[in-house]
Amino acid sequence: MSNTNFTVGQEVVLKIITGSNAYRRLPKETNGKPDILKRLIFTTVKSVSKKYITVDYMNTKFDRTDEYRQVTNFSKDYELFGSAKDAIDADTLESLWFKLRK
């Protein structure tokens, strides 16, 4: 993700990461995967500090110094994006990269 300056109250998008626990609970389409629009969660920024960004959705924290990775003791479930278009573009790029490697 590009280095975006987040502000309190800003609308952001969380994308559920493929293979995470949250991903496994989503309803699947005919191809066996959930639709990208069902993987997006729209929320707002609750607080911004020098190191962390916290969003309203379940008080999820993201580390600003570590490429906006989710802060958790377990495997991460969400990726932070500034808009839905950015999240969809990242998912498209990820699927194309997967096909290329295959």
Side-chain angles (χ1 to χ4, degrees):
M1 172 177 191
S2 64
N3 194 3
T4 307
N5 292 327
F6 291 101
T7 58
V8 175
Q10 178 183 353
E11 291 283 324
V12 293
V13 176
L14 301 180
K15 183 181 85 160
I16 298 174
I17 296 172
T18 304
S20 66
N21 287 329
Y23 181 84
R24 290 184 213 129
R25 291 188 293 261
L26 292 174
K28 308 293 188 261
E29 299 293 319
T30 56
N31 63 358
K33 298 179 181 178
D35 183 34
I36 180 61
L37 297 177
K38 292 180 183 173
R39 292 176 53 199
L40 300 180
I41 300 168
F42 295 89
T43 185
T44 59
V45 175
K46 187 175 181 180
S47 69
V48 178
S49 67
K50 287 183 180 180
K51 187 163 181 172
Y52 298 113
I53 294 174
T54 307
V55 297
D56 279 337
Y57 185 74
M58 297 178 11
N59 286 328
T60 308
K61 272 187 174 181
F62 296 90
D63 190 349
R64 293 176 71 177
T65 61
D66 191 18
E67 298 179 1
Y68 297 98
R69 294 184 195 268
Q70 182 182 359
V71 178
T72 180
N73 290 333
F74 307 103
S75 63
K76 59 184 184 166
D77 287 327
Y78 309 105
E79 289 179 314
L80 179 66
F81 291 95
S83 69
K85 182 186 180 310
D86 292 340
I88 292 170
D89 289 347
D91 188 66
T92 304
L93 182 64
E94 181 181 310
S95 66
L96 289 173
W97 182 245
F98 177 76
K99 289 178 185 177
L100 182 65
R101 285 185 294 173
K102 198 173 182 183

